[in-house]
Amino acid sequence: MSDRILILDFGSQVTQLIARRIREAGVYCEIHPYSLSEERIRAFDPKAIVFSGGPASVTLEDTPRAPQAVFEMGLPLLGICYGQQVLCAQLGGEVRGSDHQEFGRAMVEVTDGCGLTEGLWQPGERHQVWMSHGDRVERLPEGFRVVGVSEGAPYAMVADDIRRRYGLMFHPEVVHTPDGGKLLANFVRKVAGCSGDWTMAAFRAQALERIRAQVGDGRVICGLSGGVDSAVAAVLIHEAIGDQLTCIFVDHGLLRLGEAEEVVSVFRDHYNIPLVHRDASDLFLGKLAGVTDPEQKRKIIGATFIDVFEAEAKKLGGAGFLAQGTLYPDVIESVSFAGGPSVTIKSHHNVGGLPERMDMALVEPLRELFKDEVRALGRELGLPERLVGRHPFPGPGLAIRIPGEVTAETCEVLRKADAIYLEEIRAAGLYDAIWQAFAVLLPVRTVGVMGDARSYDRVCALRAVTSTDGMTAESYPFDHHFLAATATRIINEVRGTNRVVYDVTSKPPGTIEWE
């Protein structure tokens, strides 16, 4: 088994980024709530423990604290922001509220060397970091010393090299701390002594063994959605157990242009995986008639999907296992700190899940992976790049990209506009530089002039964002020529539109998902 790092989550919106940076260093890690029991911590057998940031204040009573056991295990510890304050407070230091808060970019001056910064940051250097704190450490616990300061944090970096305990007042996990990933790599590789041997090839081999051990000679049903996650899960499971797997593809009529045909071609013709294709588009559109609330749309689609999937599964004579493309962020958010907003954000995950009445054990081979890791696994398995590199597409599909009533006609208009948009992006060589791009059919009409006549038709919005891991995003800076050419094509080739706008909104650090 590879070395493991445990991340205790105190509620930071960017805790997942800590895991991403550590995995990028070739070290496996998992995120668990700060309240994890001593028994489970010891069973996890970590090589080191990281305390995440969080929104609470150590100066108040009844705010989160680390399990006392972590201080007794002799493991390397790293506290980040609130995690640093918890580390210091529980070891006998002092944390106070401060009038000098720091939010956003700041500069840290390195005042001394330590194991955490060895080979990276030298005394006397200044480095850009990302701060987000109001409280600050005022007195260090015994054995700690200051190794870095900022304008608002006299203890911006602290270290106890003998016991291998470190604290950072800033967030090394975000891209706004340019060398933060290297600091985290230093902690897990040099301080904790992890080998860094966690690779996708190793994960593939381990996953195949786990699937075979779990399933035995049983039968597995996998629901294909047309997206990357379920596709990779299906191919991985098929490699493990062959024809013991049957895939069910429920086509709800809300997919992008040509996507349903591509799914059938890849899985039935290329991989020769047993596949049931159920075209239920009329049923879904009938259920959505007159519905405009996006959350209600999600629930209708989820419930209808369950009914159709269950009916098709019964036709197969039943199976003991259900395969899902559950990803690690879904797992984390299902037990998120204090419930969190992710309960709503993830309400569409796997289009609602499946009810207990189906009496099937879950096979979730991707539940330890982030989205970009799933793509890497897909390439390791030899899936076509066009499928592996496909932009994320939420389960409700076009239904939530039509902020109004969903009809066959509005779906067709949006499907064509979206296809032109993506075609132009591919032609410009920009597809892989963009994390997610899509068109939205707005619920408004505008007056325009087309040729010698007035028109009164729909407005189409175009969105595109960049991201490295799907957890933070910024709008993609298209040039005017591209937008003008794309808008012209959509207006000329898609009847039902007469105006195109570009959405330039961005999502700040900590955003989990956008649609």
Side-chain angles (χ1 to χ4, degrees):
M1 181 183 293
S2 299
D3 296 326
R4 299 151 72 89
I5 300 294
L6 173 63
I7 301 169
L8 292 180
D9 182 18
F10 288 90
S12 169
Q13 60 179 336
V14 290
T15 298
Q16 291 185 36
L17 291 178
I18 302 174
R20 287 299 305 116
R21 301 293 89 83
I22 291 175
R23 291 190 181 186
E24 287 167 2
V27 179
Y28 182 73
C29 62
E30 289 185 12
I31 299 170
H32 290 275
Y34 73 91
S35 55
L36 193 67
S37 68
E38 177 180 351
E39 181 182 11
R40 291 187 62 190
I41 292 173
R42 293 187 183 278
F44 185 77
D45 191 26
K47 290 273 285 189
I49 298 176
V50 178
F51 298 170
S52 82
S57 172
V58 176
T59 63
L60 302 177
E61 295 183 6
D62 299 324
T63 51
R65 296 293 188 273
Q68 188 59 34
V70 304
F71 301 106
E72 301 167 355
M73 296 172 67
L75 297 173
L77 301 176
L78 173 63
I80 296 173
C81 198
Y82 181 87
Q84 184 212 46
Q85 297 169 15
V86 164
L87 180 69
C88 290
Q90 290 189 239
L91 290 174
E94 185 178 356
V95 178
R96 292 182 181 176
S98 173
D99 292 333
H100 196 144
Q101 305 176 80
E102 281 186 307
F103 294 94
R105 288 181 174 85
M107 298 300 295
V108 164
E109 180 182 349
V110 182
T111 59
D112 201 355
C114 70
L116 185 65
T117 59
E118 182 180 354
L120 293 176
W121 292 1
Q122 304 303 320
E125 293 180 350
R126 288 168 55 83
H127 292 270
Q128 178 184 305
V129 300
W130 186 266
M131 293 283 190
S132 180
H133 69 93
D135 300 343
R136 69 185 190 186
V137 176
E138 292 289 344
R139 179 170 54 82
L140 291 177
E142 182 179 350
F144 279 83
R145 59 194 172 89
V146 178
V147 294
V149 301
S150 72
E151 184 177 351
Y155 301 109
M157 295 195 299
V158 299
D160 178 347
D161 282 318
I162 295 177
R163 289 180 290 182
R164 298 181 297 171
R165 295 171 175 176
Y166 302 90
L168 302 175
M169 199 62 257
F170 56 88
H171 288 273
E173 66 271 31
V174 301
V175 296
H176 309 290
T177 301
D179 292 327
K182 295 177 181 178
L183 286 176
L184 289 170
N186 246 21
F187 177 71
V188 298
R189 296 290 294 274
K190 292 185 178 181
V191 175
C194 295
S195 61
D197 61 354
W198 192 73
T199 65
M200 202 46 62
F203 176 86
R204 175 185 182 180
Q206 294 167 3
L208 291 174
E209 291 179 7
R210 287 197 297 264
I211 293 168
R212 290 168 185 145
Q214 179 185 6
V215 173
D217 59 0
R219 294 184 60 200
V220 180
I221 293 176
C222 178
L224 288 178
S225 67
V228 177
D229 307 335
S230 62
V232 173
V235 172
L236 180 66
I237 295 170
H238 185 255
E239 180 175 319
I241 61 173
D243 287 349
Q244 291 171 242
L245 168 72
T246 299
C247 291
I248 298 177
F249 173 41
V250 178
D251 182 358
H252 52 28
L254 303 167
L255 296 173
R256 291 170 286 203
L257 188 67
E259 224 163 43
E261 294 80 4
E262 184 176 17
V263 169
V264 173
S265 174
V266 168
F267 287 90
R268 183 178 287 165
D269 301 335
H270 180 73
Y271 282 100
N272 199 30
I273 297 176
L275 174 67
V276 174
H277 176 205
R278 167 70 188 279
D279 184 353
S281 53
D282 290 343
L283 174 64
F284 278 84
L285 289 174
K287 297 276 189 179
L288 292 169
V291 179
T292 59
D293 179 74
E295 204 59 34
Q296 190 177 355
K297 290 179 186 177
R298 294 176 185 279
K299 292 176 180 178
I300 290 172
I301 293 168
T304 306
F305 179 92
I306 291 171
D307 292 342
V308 175
F309 187 94
E310 186 175 13
E312 295 299 324
K314 286 182 178 178
K315 292 178 184 178
L316 296 173
F321 299 90
L322 168 71
Q324 291 190 154
T326 307
L327 301 192
Y328 193 45
D330 305 316
V331 177
I332 297 168
E333 288 151 12
S334 69
V335 291
S336 62
F337 179 89
S342 61
V343 173
T344 299
I345 294 171
K346 284 291 177 184
S347 63
H348 69 279
H349 171 59
N350 287 340
V351 280
L354 290 172
E356 294 182 5
R357 67 175 182 270
M358 292 194 71
D359 191 27
M360 302 167 76
L362 282 176
V363 179
E364 299 174 303
L366 310 182
R367 63 181 286 116
E368 298 171 352
L369 301 182
F370 288 93
K371 188 78 171 186
D372 52 329
E373 293 172 330
V374 172
R375 296 189 195 282
L377 177 59
R379 295 182 179 100
E380 177 75 23
L381 291 166
L383 268 76
E385 183 61 33
R386 187 175 179 88
L387 178 59
V388 173
R390 178 177 290 164
H391 290 175
F393 194 64
L398 300 180
I400 52 172
R401 293 176 179 176
I402 300 174
E405 183 180 7
V406 180
T407 65
E409 189 253 345
T410 55
C411 283
E412 190 63 17
V413 170
L414 179 56
R415 195 175 281 118
K416 290 179 179 178
D418 187 72
I420 290 171
Y421 183 32
L422 294 179
E423 184 179 309
E424 288 295 314
I425 287 174
R426 289 186 184 277
L430 301 176
Y431 191 85
D432 292 338
I434 296 171
W435 174 264
Q436 189 181 43
F438 56 87
V440 177
L441 196 63
L442 301 180
V444 295
R445 292 176 181 265
T446 63
V447 176
V449 176
M450 301 180 72
D452 296 321
R454 289 190 182 278
S455 65
Y456 181 64
D457 242 318
R458 298 180 179 86
V459 176
C460 179
L462 305 179
R463 297 196 67 189
V465 293
T466 60
S467 178
T468 57
D469 44 38
M471 295 168 63
T472 61
E474 294 182 351
S475 59
Y476 186 82
F478 288 121
D479 62 44
H480 179 73
H481 175 76
F482 173 88
L483 292 174
T486 302
T488 298
R489 277 200 63 191
I490 291 174
I491 291 171
N492 287 343
E493 298 176 33
V494 183
R495 285 190 175 275
T497 62
N498 72 355
R499 197 169 303 276
V500 177
V501 296
Y502 177 55
D503 184 351
V504 296
T505 56
S506 298
K507 297 296 182 182
T511 296
I512 297 171
E513 187 168 330
W514 53 90
E515 293 176 347

